[in-house]
Amino acid sequence: MSYLDATNDLYKEAALTPDVGLCCTTNPIWELPGLKIPRIMQEMNYGCGSTVNARDLTNNPKMLYVGVGGGMELLQFSYFNRQKGGVIGVDVVDEMLEASRKNFIEAEAQNDWFKSDFVDLKKGDALNLPVDDNSIDVAAQNCLFNIFKAEDLKKAIDEMYRVLKPHGRLVMSDPTCEQPMNDTLRNDDRLRALCLSGSLPIAEYVKALTDAGFGTIEIRARKPYRILDPKNYPTDELIYIESIEVAAIKDPMPEDGPCIFTGKAAIYFGSEDYFDDKKGHILLKNQPIAICDKTAGALADLGRDDIFISESTYHYDGGGCC
């Protein structure tokens, strides 16, 4: 049995018998006017963060969500696009698709604005999406891609890139880990399916996205997630796992490389009213400006004593230099 078969079996079980502790997150449930999340959807929230951000969802975007879980984020996305088929949900597990359909009936009873046909549920594989090229404004996955091994991860990201429109957004939440994991952990199919042993360092995660062609990467949040300890897992040292929320934007790739935002900022405090680097970046005096890592490096290379550059905060909420 392959690791993907083990994953499918695990989520078949989780669809038939909701497992509240399967993936836990400290993220609060979205509270929006008129939006009520059925309890069963909350119990089947098998994610490690949130992929729902209002600034991604203006002007009725066409949306895709891969790995439907109990349907909670599909319902949240539908809140921003109340049209028949406005949101496509794809899952390879029949039982999870059926559970979502039942949960949508409950959502209709609790939300007078919601109709089940707002969501088009499709049986499909993340490695071969049943979606047309250049047809999606916002694509999302939550705590799924970390399960994939390197070759399959590349296929899954390439598929998301294929279906997105130019300047479309791939929004993700996944576990990450900066510490090395031993082969026993990496090759444990169940731990991988549980979104633990497939966690990558952030730099590798981001590189997988830029290798696919995404020209802009935003790291929006970085949060504690899990501990693998020697008493309960096959490891000699304690391993700390975080979850990150990331947006990869299908912008053209700049000639000098991708713009990767990790939460750095620059502050100019010189004698003039502003500083212009002649490369499209104007720093107003004493006004912080968000900058991508590439711009941070270029400004640092100037060797000026009147520009402060912060460390990465791993929290970026828009605006900035690019």
Side-chain angles (χ1 to χ4, degrees):
M1 181 171 67
S2 74
Y3 82 96
L4 292 176
D5 291 331
T7 301
N8 292 347
D9 288 347
L10 177 71
Y11 288 94
K12 175 180 177 180
E13 295 172 11
L16 296 173
T17 305
D19 184 351
V20 176
L22 183 60
C23 289
C24 68
T25 173
T26 56
N27 278 25
I29 301 300
W30 273 77
E31 295 185 7
L32 296 165
L35 174 62
K36 297 180 180 179
I37 308 292
R39 179 171 295 276
I40 184 61
M41 285 187 172
Q42 297 181 41
E43 292 175 350
M44 296 179 69
N45 176 25
Y46 303 139
C48 61
S50 177
T51 64
V52 182
N53 191 309
R55 68 185 175 89
D56 297 328
L57 303 175
T58 58
N59 300 318
N60 294 318
K62 182 75 172 182
M63 289 173 273
L64 167 68
Y65 192 83
V66 181
V68 300
M72 187 181 79
E73 290 198 316
L74 289 163
L75 175 64
Q76 293 172 332
F77 280 128
S78 295
Y79 183 88
F80 295 91
N81 186 339
R82 306 181 185 190
Q83 302 179 35
K84 183 176 180 179
V87 181
I88 299 172
V90 174
D91 205 298
V92 73
V93 179
D94 291 319
E95 291 80 5
M96 198 64 80
L97 290 167
E98 183 58 29
S100 289
R101 290 189 181 96
K102 291 180 180 179
N103 293 348
F104 288 148
I105 294 173
E106 180 64 25
E108 282 190 4
Q110 295 187 29
N111 296 273
D112 56 12
W113 59 268
F114 177 69
K115 303 298 180 186
S116 292
D117 67 5
F118 290 173
V119 182
D120 181 10
L121 289 174
K122 294 185 177 185
K123 172 73 176 287
D125 191 331
L127 310 182
N128 187 23
L129 292 171
V131 181
D132 292 338
D133 295 357
N134 304 309
S135 62
I136 300 296
D137 295 296
V138 179
Q141 66 85 18
N142 195 332
C143 214
L144 170 63
F145 281 13
N146 75 98
I147 293 172
F148 293 134
K149 295 184 178 180
E151 184 176 339
D152 290 332
L153 176 61
K154 182 180 185 306
K155 291 178 182 177
I157 294 174
D158 285 345
E159 275 294 274
M160 289 292 213
Y161 189 88
R162 174 184 66 81
V163 303
L164 281 170
K165 298 176 183 177
H167 307 292
R169 295 169 180 252
L170 169 57
V171 188
M172 300 172 291
S173 180
D174 267 316
T176 60
C177 182
E178 300 303 316
Q179 295 168 262
M181 289 196 191
N182 61 49
D183 289 342
T184 302
L185 287 170
R186 289 293 189 198
N187 294 325
D188 187 313
D189 291 347
R190 183 168 178 81
L191 290 181
R192 186 172 282 272
L194 286 168
C195 301
L196 296 173
S197 63
S199 305
L200 295 174
I202 291 175
E204 290 184 30
Y205 189 92
V206 169
K207 186 176 186 301
L209 296 168
T210 57
D211 284 351
F214 288 99
T216 303
I217 308 294
E218 302 177 352
I219 297 181
R220 295 177 170 178
R222 181 177 180 178
K223 306 174 183 177
Y225 178 62
R226 286 286 202 281
I227 291 293
L228 302 183
D229 68 280
K231 294 181 180 179
N232 296 289
Y233 298 92
T235 174
D236 293 331
E237 63 174 340
L238 186 145
I239 297 176
Y240 172 52
I241 300 176
E242 299 171 293
S243 69
I244 59 169
E245 296 173 11
V246 177
I249 304 173
K250 193 176 177 179
D251 289 338
M253 182 65 69
E255 291 184 4
D256 58 350
C259 293
I260 301 170
F261 289 88
T262 62
K264 291 184 177 182
I267 304 176
Y268 168 66
F269 54 94
S271 59
E272 304 296 328
D273 290 336
Y274 64 89
F275 171 76
D276 184 350
D277 71 351
K278 309 300 182 182
K279 295 180 180 178
H281 312 116
I282 295 178
L283 281 62
L284 299 179
K285 187 174 181 177
N286 293 324
Q287 297 296 312
I289 181 173
I291 53 174
C292 71
D293 290 6
K294 183 174 56 179
T295 298
L299 290 174
D301 287 343
L302 296 176
R304 296 181 65 101
D305 62 1
D306 55 4
I307 296 178
F308 172 81
I309 300 170
S310 75
E311 298 295 326
S312 296
T313 63
Y314 295 97
H315 177 81
Y316 173 74
D317 60 3
C321 70
C322 300

